[in-house]
């Protein structure tokens, strides 16, 4: 079965995005490096954490012992693989650091740049 989006992109001479729209790497440029053995490898350029102020807080939760970023994402965002959104919104480079200390307050936010509803 052919992917209709891939077929459209190919038919119009457009490049297929390297990462899905819900990936933390979507939209980042890729580059290539030549290794000493002559092979060429592609890689994603550096990704910087966005400022936490770019995120509108929906609620704040207090971590219980043993909670993980993927569990929080599944519970509050509906998709465990979106743990990186929580890490970004809380200024955490490593998700483990965000959930390391029970009692820490973690912001649950809207996606970056999405403003809060007018009535909030």
């Amino acid at each position: 079965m052919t992917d209709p989006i891939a077929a459209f992109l190919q038919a119009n001479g457009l490049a297929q995005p390297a990462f899905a729209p819900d990936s933390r790497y979507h939209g980042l440029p890729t580059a290539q490096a030549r290794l000493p053995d002559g092979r060429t490898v592609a890689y994603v350029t550096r990704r910087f954490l966005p400022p936490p102020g770019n995120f509108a807080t929906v609620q704040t939760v207090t971590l219980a012992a043993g909670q993980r970023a993927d569990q929080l994402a599944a519970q509050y965002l509906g998709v465990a693989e979106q743990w990186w959104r929580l890490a970004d919104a809380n200024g955490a480079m490593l998700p483990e650091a965000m959930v390391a200390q029970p009692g820490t307050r973690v912001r649950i936010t809207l996606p970056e740049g999405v403003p809060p509803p007018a009535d909030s």
Side-chain angles (χ1 to χ4, degrees):
M1 180 175 183
T2 303
D3 176 7
I5 295 173
F8 172 81
L9 292 172
Q10 184 177 16
N12 290 286
L14 302 171
Q16 174 102 12
F19 299 96
D22 61 350
S23 168
R24 74 188 315 189
Y25 303 110
H26 179 74
L28 287 180
T30 57
Q32 293 185 347
R34 183 166 300 278
L35 301 178
D37 66 4
R39 290 181 297 146
T40 300
V41 294
Y43 63 94
V44 177
T45 59
R46 181 179 289 185
R47 177 182 182 274
F48 294 96
L49 282 177
N54 288 3
F55 299 88
T57 301
V58 175
Q59 72 183 93
T60 303
V61 297
T62 302
L63 291 177
Q67 281 189 301
R68 297 188 326 250
D70 63 326
Q71 293 169 330
L72 291 170
Q75 181 176 355
Y76 293 101
L77 304 178
V79 182
E81 291 81 5
Q82 293 290 300
W83 59 265
W84 61 271
R85 281 186 40 210
L86 297 176
D88 281 1
N90 287 278
M93 181 66 73
L94 301 173
E96 304 85 36
M98 180 179 68
V99 295
Q101 187 68 32
T104 299
R105 296 182 56 79
V106 174
R107 294 172 55 219
I108 309 300
T109 69
L110 295 172
E112 181 181 16
V114 174
D119 62 346
S120 61

